[in-house]
Amino acid sequence: MSKQSGRGHVAGLPEWDRCAVMGVVNVTPDSFSDGGRWFDTSAAVKHGLALVTEGADLIDVGGESTRPGATRVDEAEELRRVIPVVRELASDGVTVSVDTMRASVAQQSLAAGAALVNDVSGGLADPAMIPVVAEAGAPFVVMHWRGFLEGSTVKGLYADVVTEVLDELRARVDAVLAGGIAPDRIVVDPGLGFSKEAEHDLTLLAHLDRLHALGHPLLVAASRKRFLGRVLAGPQGAPPPARERDAATAAVSALAAHAGAWAVRVHEVHATADAVRVARAVEGARTPGAEGARGTEGAR
Ligand code: PMM
């Protein structure tokens, strides 16, 4: 299978000729990397629009932190956080994704103009999710997820992380298809950092090509995650804080784009937008006469 086969096109969304950039707007007081910064409708909308200016192709709006051990927000509060932000961004012409595990939030977000539902539980947290998304005919992100885990159970146990993530994702994709979501509307995501140690995340990134075997566009969400802190700290050091992991995130974006990811989900868009464009230019340079090969015109 070719490196680019994971990119594909997701029905119902615009088509990009390179890895797309999904900018994150967390309307939460407690997300691990940017909690509290956009916890207000107008600040969140402004931030979303700024990310688009920096090069985001779509904006992922979430109202519930998924960090390990986070307490769940109630439904009314999640709706209060998310819906106005989705509505305003969509009415400004932004392609909006909603990051939620609740069918009601997905349904109302789609009604408010969202174009994509991003469920970190892959439809497992709320039995009404798949029927709602199927009925709306919306595209759906299926992430690898092993449940609401707390404390020591957060750690994932794997004998072969790539094979297990692949098998578990395939089972979820089958369930989503059986629930009536069209195959050309499904995106898969390895769920970096969810029940995974740094070594698992790195192994998954090293084998993104194997995830293409699922036959669906691939979303990679490495932004500011714990494993990057581990890599940057080295064996003895203290990991840098989440907001000092953006250069490392952009490096992963370039690798993911090169490996044929459909999109990368990031908090800081600017560097990643550059990274995916460079990856596209390099890809183009593989084919004589293709766009990327022309980037050196006038250089000498
Ligand atoms: N990670 C987070 C939130 N949403 N969505 C997808 N599809 N994949 C992810 O890995 C993912 C996600 C947690 O990160 P954040 O709290 O910094 O947004």
Side-chain angles (χ1 to χ4, degrees):
M1 187 163 288
S2 87
K3 277 189 167 184
Q4 268 59 54
S5 58
R7 183 160 304 150
H9 172 239
V10 181
L13 293 179
E15 193 159 3
W16 298 283
D17 75 337
R18 53 165 170 74
C19 177
V21 180
M22 177 187 273
V24 178
V25 175
N26 283 323
V27 196
T28 57
D30 61 345
S31 281
F32 85 96
S33 64
D34 58 354
R37 297 195 69 210
W38 328 112
F39 188 50
D40 164 88
T41 301
S42 63
V45 170
K46 219 170 132 193
H47 183 54
L49 294 173
L51 294 182
V52 170
T53 305
E54 286 173 27
D57 299 296
L58 62 169
I59 297 294
D60 192 39
V61 179
E64 176 170 51
S65 171
T66 51
R67 104 190 122 74
T71 44
R72 295 212 65 187
V73 293
D74 68 36
E75 182 180 336
E77 175 62 11
E78 191 183 348
L79 288 165
R80 188 196 67 73
R81 293 177 185 181
V82 166
I83 304 303
V85 179
V86 168
R87 182 175 294 112
E88 279 202 46
L89 287 173
S91 72
D92 278 335
V94 175
T95 301
V96 177
S97 149
V98 61
D99 185 345
T100 185
M101 290 184 272
R102 282 200 174 96
S104 57
V105 177
Q107 191 167 38
Q108 292 192 39
S109 294
L110 292 167
L116 169 70
V117 176
N118 172 24
D119 178 357
V120 298
S121 82
L124 283 168
D126 184 343
M129 179 64 92
I130 294 171
V132 157
V133 176
E135 169 70 24
F140 188 56
V141 176
V142 179
M143 198 192 82
H144 177 258
W145 191 75
R146 283 186 166 182
F148 296 104
L149 304 175
E150 287 186 36
S152 57
T153 58
V154 166
K155 291 187 181 163
L157 293 176
Y158 302 90
D160 173 348
V161 67
V162 180
T163 302
E164 286 165 58
V165 166
L166 204 51
D167 289 349
E168 289 167 33
L169 265 179
R170 192 176 285 114
R172 286 315 302 151
V173 167
D174 288 347
V176 163
L177 288 168
I181 297 179
D184 59 358
R185 289 178 196 255
I186 295 172
V187 174
V188 291
D189 178 336
L192 300 176
F194 286 81
S195 308
K196 294 170 191 84
E197 297 295 313
E199 83 230 38
H200 301 133
D201 291 335
L202 290 167
T203 304
L204 285 163
L205 283 173
H207 295 94
L208 286 180
D209 54 330
R210 284 186 57 198
L211 295 181
H212 294 329
L214 292 166
H216 294 279
L218 183 63
L219 172 65
V220 175
S223 189
R224 298 180 176 174
K225 283 189 174 163
R226 226 168 34 239
F227 78 98
L228 293 175
R230 277 267 129 258
V231 169
L232 297 175
Q236 310 296 339
R243 290 181 62 199
E244 289 171 23
R245 301 175 194 166
D246 289 331
T249 298
V252 177
S253 297
L255 292 167
H258 183 68
W262 166 74
V264 284
R265 176 185 181 279
V266 294
H267 300 85
E268 196 284 317
V269 161
H270 193 96
T272 278
D274 284 356
V276 299
R277 282 177 176 82
V278 171
R280 173 71 186 93
V282 171
E283 187 185 307
R286 271 193 229 127
T287 323
E291 187 199 342
R294 291 198 296 270
T296 51
E297 262 173 32
R300 282 173 201 231

